[in-house]
């Protein structure tokens, strides 16, 4: 091979390597943008779901909410409170599962904020899973959390455009789909039990409420969506 031919081959090889390298970094950049968009879009929905759940827990921990409506209220009020309490739990788990599927927790890059969100979600999941002093009210094993999250995802969604069932859709499925309703039978019964005696579940509910507020602080650090005065942590 003469010198000119060798140089031409080397240039062609270098050009091919450069093209491959540029293609690789282009794909990495696109993937990073997609992850960022998903985190922005889904993170906002997750923050709202976390806010609704922690608000309900805050009211329950106050000690008057469930007795007033669930025990002393009309049958319609009792059913609304029972179902809506289970719904805010299920909706939160639904958005966690959506985020898990579309953002891929194991491929979130080196973002410190993403890692902190992941850690906080894991802590909340562990609190749902833990059973202090053998009291199981509102206890959900991790596999149950994922299963409930899965059935809460609207079937017509696709990656990047998923959403959870809304409250009306949730109630309709409870009434018409026995397989769907079976995932919530124990949770509905737990709400009834807590309405009568909250003390067995108090530790779990207080831990969940605090951890959800911490998650909201991570997802909305500048208090754009939720003013600080709406992030009160319940104290005994």
């Amino acid at each position: 091979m003469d010198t000119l031919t060798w140089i031409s081959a080397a240039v062609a090889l270098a050009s091919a390597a450069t093209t491959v390298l540029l293609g690789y970094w282009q794909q990495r950049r696109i993937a990073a943008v997609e992850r960022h968009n998903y985190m922005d879009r889904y993170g906002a929905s997750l923050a709202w779901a976390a806010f609704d759940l922690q608000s309900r827990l805050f009211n329950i921990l106050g000690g008057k909410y469930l007795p007033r409506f669930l025990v002393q209220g009309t049958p319609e009020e009792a059913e609304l409170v029972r179902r809506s309490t289970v719904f805010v739990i299920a909706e939160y788990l639904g958005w966690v599962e959506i985020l898990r599927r579309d953002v891929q927790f194991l491929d979130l890059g080196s973002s410190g904020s993403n890692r902190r969100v992941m850690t906080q979600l894991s802590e909340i999941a562990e609190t749902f899973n833990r059973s202090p002093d053998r009291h199981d009210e509102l206890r959900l094993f991790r596999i149950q959390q994922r299963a409930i999250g899965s059935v809460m995802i609207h079937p017509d969604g696709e990656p990047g455009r998923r959403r959870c069932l809304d409250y009306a859709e949730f109630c309709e499925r409870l009434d018409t789909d026995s397989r769907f309703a079976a995932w919530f039978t124990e949770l509905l019964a737990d709400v009834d039990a807590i309405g009568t005696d909250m003390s067995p579940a108090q530790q779990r509910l207080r831990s969940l409420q605090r951890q959800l507020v911490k998650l909201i602080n991570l997802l909305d650090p500048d208090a754009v969506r939720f003013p600080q005065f709406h992030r009160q942590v319940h104290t005994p």
Side-chain angles (χ1 to χ4, degrees), residues 142-163:
R142 287 179 179 269
I143 194 65
Q144 289 176 295
Q145 295 174 41
R146 290 207 60 184
I148 289 174
S150 179
V151 300
M152 283 296 294
I153 299 175
H154 196 283
D156 293 339
E158 58 184 21
R161 298 181 180 276
R162 301 189 202 273
R163 71 173 179 87

Side-chain angles (χ1 to χ4, degrees), residues 27-204:
Q27 290 300 317
R28 288 286 300 270
R29 187 186 70 80
I30 292 172
V33 170
E34 288 179 347
R35 287 196 302 268
H36 179 75
N37 289 341
Y38 284 178
M39 283 296 291
D40 280 351
R41 184 180 305 121
Y42 292 156
S45 297
L46 176 62
W48 275 106
F51 177 78
D52 288 343
L53 178 52
Q54 73 82 24
S55 295
R56 178 57 56 91
L57 295 178
F58 185 89
N59 289 335
I60 291 173
L61 287 163
K64 297 181 179 179
Y65 181 79
L66 289 184
R68 177 183 176 184
F69 295 107
L70 192 62
V71 180
Q72 303 165 8
T74 66
E76 292 76 17
E77 289 174 332
E79 189 64 10
L80 174 62
V81 167
R82 181 183 297 110
R83 289 190 171 198
S84 62
T85 298
V86 172
F87 171 76
V88 293
I89 295 172
E91 184 186 35
Y92 166 78
L93 296 175
W95 281 111
V96 171
E97 183 63 19
I98 287 173
L99 199 65
R100 184 193 305 273
R101 292 184 182 189
D102 285 7
V103 179
Q104 296 298 322
F105 279 3
L106 297 180
D107 187 25
L108 282 177
S110 60
S111 168
S113 61
N114 286 343
R115 290 199 302 272
R116 288 190 290 273
V117 168
M118 291 162 56
T119 298
Q120 190 59 30
L121 291 175
S122 180
E123 290 182 6
I124 294 170
E126 178 57 29
T127 299
F128 267 118
N129 177 75
R130 193 180 303 122
S131 182
D133 300 326
R134 298 185 300 278
H135 289 299
D136 293 336
E137 290 82 359
L138 298 185
R139 180 189 187 186
L140 291 169
F141 291 106
R142 287 179 179 269
I143 194 65
Q144 289 176 295
Q145 295 174 41
R146 290 207 60 184
I148 289 174
S150 179
V151 300
M152 283 296 294
I153 299 175
H154 196 283
D156 293 339
E158 58 184 21
R161 298 181 180 276
R162 301 189 202 273
R163 71 173 179 87
C164 284
L165 301 175
D166 61 29
Y167 181 64
E169 292 166 333
F170 171 77
C171 289
E172 181 179 1
R173 292 285 300 277
L174 280 183
D175 293 333
T176 62
D177 186 341
S178 60
R179 295 179 64 182
F180 177 86
W183 288 106
F184 304 99
T185 302
E186 291 186 8
L187 287 176
L188 291 165
D190 285 346
V191 174
D192 286 333
I194 293 170
T196 302
D197 180 10
M198 184 180 62
S199 58
Q202 194 166 32
Q203 180 181 341
R204 187 195 314 282

